[in-house]
């Protein structure tokens, strides 16, 4: 899977665990040296980062003799470097969304065409409910490639005659992902005739990047000849046949219940500070993130003294429409919006897993400043349109309770006061320390503001130190969430 959150070894897992440092070092240098020895002497170049790790993952799975490999494509499908598998056991396409438009195209139909590139002759494929036109593109791609394509039943269909299934992952969208996962797993089990048996399994490169809402494809690899395991329904007209639901095993029910996914709808409670981590970075995944956050944080019982503070920590990368993402976050009514690059520390020493050589700190900070201005503009447009967002009054230049919300608002010294100051920090460590104000035991207290003398930072620090509850949503980028996790949960770096 990719990207990794804290350590690169997360991308290549066996039986659910990242491979050890020793195994990673062993196979890295084995693959690197072999490629170095055999590369074209004229066009001497090594595979790029993701391609190298894909080759390495396949090599690890072969050498470690895994029984089953689950491989998510990196970007798209048709031209992705994972799409060299000739006869996977089964393929799946999850909910389509708009992402990586400079590579995949700017419409759902273009993206669906790219996703359909993983379909293989005679290999069953599954997808979930999609808009009509993108689904038609998937159907046409399947027909071109002589691939039997089926729609997954709704998760409700698996619950008939039994109790409601409990999912370990929050969010209504995960029910669609769970149905797809069940169908893929069942196809593999039927193919191998090994229901109830356990084997070694691997996972590696690469990913969709949001909690299953963003564009993603998933292929399961296995050995042996393909057997048709579903009704031999042909694709007729504009319809895609519905696969039948089946009786779930106890192991499947437990698997859905026990599933954990770091960095997606993850909550870390640290006394008065609660961190909500979600790597959403598309419009559809941000919408799902907002629904989850509002339910998980905003609907909680408010402190008796009303001193609840809500903070957004945001960054976005690539060619994403940041304005569209930020606009979706405005209804969460944050008291502060904090922007910073995905760099964990100002210094990259001892932080090789989170270095990005394709982005400079200057470029990243420029984008953060643009996000800050965009957020301020969105709030200026919002004030006066939404009765739930009254313009706060100045009280000694500091803070005032808002009767409409029962929480505290910062009043910045500005001609047009806003209910939410926007701050920029040069790295994640400084941003997290400012938000936590020494109240999270894993984070040191912030040092003097130094290069960040914004009045909102100093007055806001008082509010953050004294608030009974601080709710922090970290979103917009899985790299940002990964950097935050590295600081908030040092055990993940071991």
């Amino acid at each position: 899977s990719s990207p990794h959150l804290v350590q690169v070894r997360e991308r290549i897992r066996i039986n659910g665990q990242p491979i050890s440092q020793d195994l990673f070092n062993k196979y890295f240098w084995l693959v690197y040296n072999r490629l170095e020895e055999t590369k074209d002497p004229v066009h001497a170049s090594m595979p790029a980062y993701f391609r190298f790790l894909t080759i390495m993952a396949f090599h690890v799975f072969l050498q470690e003799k895994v029984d089953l490999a689950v491989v998510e494509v990196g970007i798209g499908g048709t031209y992705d470097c994972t799409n060299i598998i000739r006869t996977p056991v089964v393929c799946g396409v999850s909910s389509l969304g708009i992402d990586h438009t400079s590579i995949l195209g700017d419409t759902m139909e273009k993206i669906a065409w790219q996703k359909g590139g993983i379909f293989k002759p005679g290999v069953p494929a599954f997808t979930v409910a999609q808009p009509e036109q993108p689904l038609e593109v998937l159907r046409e791609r399947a027909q071109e490639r002589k691939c039997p394509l089926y729609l997954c039943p709704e998760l409700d269909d698996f619950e008939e005659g039994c109790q409601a299934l409990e999912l370990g992952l929050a969010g209504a969208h995960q029910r669609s992902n769970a149905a797809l996962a069940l169908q893929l797993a069942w196809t593999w089990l039927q193919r191998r005739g090994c229901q109830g048996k356990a084997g070694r399994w691997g996972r590696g490169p690469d990913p969709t990047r949001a909690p299953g809402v963003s564009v993603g494809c998933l292929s399961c690899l296995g050995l042996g000849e393909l057997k048709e395991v579903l009704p031999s329904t042909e694709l007729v007209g504009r319809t895609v046949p519905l696969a039948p639901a089946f009786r779930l095993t106890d192991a499947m029910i437990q698997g859905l219940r026990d599933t954990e996914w770091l960095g997606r709808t993850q909550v870390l409670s640290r006394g008065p500070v609660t961190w909500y981590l979600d790597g959403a970075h598309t419009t559809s995944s941000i919408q799902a993130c907002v629904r989850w956050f509002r339910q998980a944080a905003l609907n909680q019982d408010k402190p008796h003294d009303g001193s609840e503070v809500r903070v957004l920590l945001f960054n976005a990368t690539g060619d994403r429409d940041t304005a569209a993402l930020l606009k979706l976050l405005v209804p969460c009514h944050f008291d502060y919006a904090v922007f910073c690059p995905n760099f964990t520390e100002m210094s990259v020493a001892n932080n090789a897993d989170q270095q990005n050589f394709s982005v400079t700190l200057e470029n990243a900070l420029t984008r953060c400043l643009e996000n800050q201005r965009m957020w301020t503009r969105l709030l200026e447009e919002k004030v006066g349109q939404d009765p739930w967002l009254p313009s706060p009054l100045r009280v000694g230049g500091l803070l005032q309770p808002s009767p409409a919300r029962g929480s505290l608002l910062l009043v910045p010294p500005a001609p047009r006061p806003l209910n939410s100051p926007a701050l920029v920090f040069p790295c994640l460590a400084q941003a997290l320390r400012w938000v936590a104000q020494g109240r999270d035991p894993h984070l040191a207290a912030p040092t003097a503001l130094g290069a960040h003398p914004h009045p909102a930072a100093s007055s806001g620090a008082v509010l953050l130190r004294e608030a009974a509850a601080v709710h922090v949503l970290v979103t917009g980028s899985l790299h940002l969430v990964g950097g935050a996790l590295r600081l908030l949960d040092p055990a993940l770096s071991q």
Side-chain angles (χ1 to χ4, degrees):
S1 60
S2 84
H4 60 272
L5 291 171
V6 178
Q7 299 192 75
V8 68
R9 295 184 292 109
E10 299 166 24
R11 294 175 181 242
I12 306 174
R13 300 171 182 255
I14 296 178
N15 289 338
Q17 297 301 313
I19 60 175
S20 67
Q21 288 188 4
D22 289 342
L23 269 186
F24 187 92
N25 291 337
K26 169 187 171 181
Y27 288 120
F28 175 91
W29 288 113
L30 193 155
V31 173
Y32 184 93
N33 291 333
R34 186 69 56 83
L35 290 171
E36 183 70 30
E37 293 164 5
T38 57
K39 69 183 181 183
D40 186 333
V42 179
H43 306 286
S45 64
M46 295 289 280
Y49 184 82
F50 181 80
R51 293 187 178 189
F52 181 92
L53 289 173
T54 302
I55 295 168
M56 180 176 161
F58 288 145
H59 187 71
V60 169
F61 293 156
L62 288 168
Q63 295 300 309
E64 295 297 311
K65 298 180 172 54
V66 301
D67 301 302
L68 167 67
V70 179
V71 181
E72 266 182 303
V73 305
I75 295 177
T78 299
Y79 304 115
D80 193 79
C81 62
T82 59
N83 196 28
I84 61 169
I85 304 157
R86 295 175 182 172
T87 53
V89 171
V90 63
C91 299
V93 178
S94 60
S95 297
L96 296 172
I98 299 291
D99 199 13
H100 304 293
T101 53
S102 61
I103 299 172
L104 304 181
D106 56 1
T107 67
M108 294 276 275
E109 289 77 13
K110 292 176 182 177
I111 291 171
W113 188 91
Q114 295 281 357
K115 295 296 173 183
I118 68 169
F119 296 156
K120 301 295 186 292
V123 175
F126 296 89
T127 189
V128 296
Q130 310 280 8
E132 181 180 354
Q133 291 306 313
L135 182 61
E136 173 65 10
V137 173
L138 289 176
R139 188 197 70 80
E140 290 173 353
R141 291 285 272 165
Q143 203 165 37
E144 287 170 9
R145 293 168 170 263
K146 297 179 172 56
C147 162
L149 175 66
Y150 303 90
L151 273 176
C152 288
E154 298 287 340
L155 199 61
D156 294 355
D157 297 334
F158 292 97
E159 294 176 334
E160 289 185 6
C162 65
Q163 61 184 14
L165 294 169
E166 180 184 345
L167 301 186
L169 301 178
H173 58 283
Q174 294 296 356
R175 293 181 64 81
S176 165
N177 294 328
L180 179 60
L182 287 171
Q183 204 72 58
L184 296 173
W186 184 249
T187 304
W188 162 257
L189 290 171
Q190 284 198 314
R191 159 76 182 278
R192 299 290 287 176
C194 59
Q195 288 95 326
K197 296 181 181 178
R200 287 169 64 74
W201 60 277
R203 189 180 100 190
D206 74 80
T208 70
R209 309 179 189 278
V213 204
S214 63
V215 182
C217 300
L218 185 148
S219 306
C220 295
L221 311 182
L223 306 175
E225 297 180 2
L226 177 73
K227 297 176 183 176
E228 184 64 49
V229 296
L230 293 165
S232 56
T233 311
E234 295 298 326
L235 297 176
V236 181
R238 298 175 61 85
T239 62
V240 176
L242 183 68
F246 49 85
R247 184 186 179 91
L248 302 186
T249 66
D250 291 342
M252 289 176 173
I253 295 171
Q254 181 182 349
L256 294 177
R257 183 177 61 244
D258 295 346
T259 298
E260 294 179 351
W261 199 355
L262 294 182
R264 283 81 167 180
T265 61
Q266 181 181 359
V267 180
L268 289 176
S269 296
R270 303 284 172 73
V273 184
T274 305
W275 306 91
Y276 300 84
L277 307 164
D278 192 278
H281 52 271
T282 66
T283 53
S284 56
S285 60
I286 287 286
Q287 286 172 330
C289 172
V290 167
R291 287 193 296 269
W292 162 71
F293 177 70
R294 288 172 70 90
Q295 182 175 1
L298 306 188
N299 291 339
Q300 286 188 358
D301 291 336
K302 295 186 170 42
H304 294 302
D305 62 359
S307 58
E308 174 194 13
V309 182
R310 304 162 193 165
V311 182
L312 169 66
L313 178 55
F314 179 91
N315 192 40
T317 60
D319 56 1
R320 296 178 176 91
D321 185 350
T322 307
L325 303 184
L326 288 174
K327 188 172 184 178
L328 294 171
L329 290 161
V330 170
C332 289
H333 305 289
F334 292 104
D335 299 303
Y336 299 92
V338 176
F339 303 97
C340 72
N342 292 340
F343 299 103
T344 311
E345 306 273 359
M346 289 295 290
S347 168
V348 296
N350 302 318
N351 191 24
D353 284 271
Q354 277 152 338
Q355 278 185 261
N356 185 345
F357 293 101
S358 65
V359 178
T360 66
L361 177 59
E362 182 180 2
N363 290 340
L365 280 173
T366 298
R367 183 155 188 173
C368 290
L369 291 168
E370 292 172 354
N371 292 341
Q372 180 192 42
R373 286 191 290 270
M374 177 58 64
W375 182 257
T376 301
R377 194 176 310 125
L378 287 169
L379 289 174
E380 287 176 341
E381 295 170 358
K382 190 71 174 173
V383 171
Q385 298 177 16
D386 189 339
W388 213 66
L389 280 173
S391 296
L393 301 174
R394 182 183 302 274
V395 178
L398 287 175
L399 307 165
Q400 173 200 351
S402 169
R405 289 186 48 206
S407 60
L408 298 178
L409 303 177
L410 178 77
V411 184
R416 296 182 62 190
L418 303 173
N419 79 312
S420 181
L423 307 173
V424 173
F425 289 91
C427 68
L428 257 167
Q430 289 192 25
L432 293 178
R433 287 171 190 150
W434 180 81
V435 172
Q437 289 295 316
R439 305 178 76 184
D440 184 323
H442 290 97
L443 297 170
T447 56
L449 290 174
H452 195 79
H454 194 292
S458 54
S459 57
V462 177
L463 173 60
L464 290 165
R465 282 196 297 269
E466 296 180 354
V470 179
H471 298 293
V472 191
L473 174 61
V474 184
T475 192
S477 164
L478 272 175
H479 300 285
L480 178 78
V481 167
L485 273 174
R486 180 176 182 269
L487 296 167
L488 295 171
D489 190 353
L492 295 174
S493 300
Q494 302 305 314

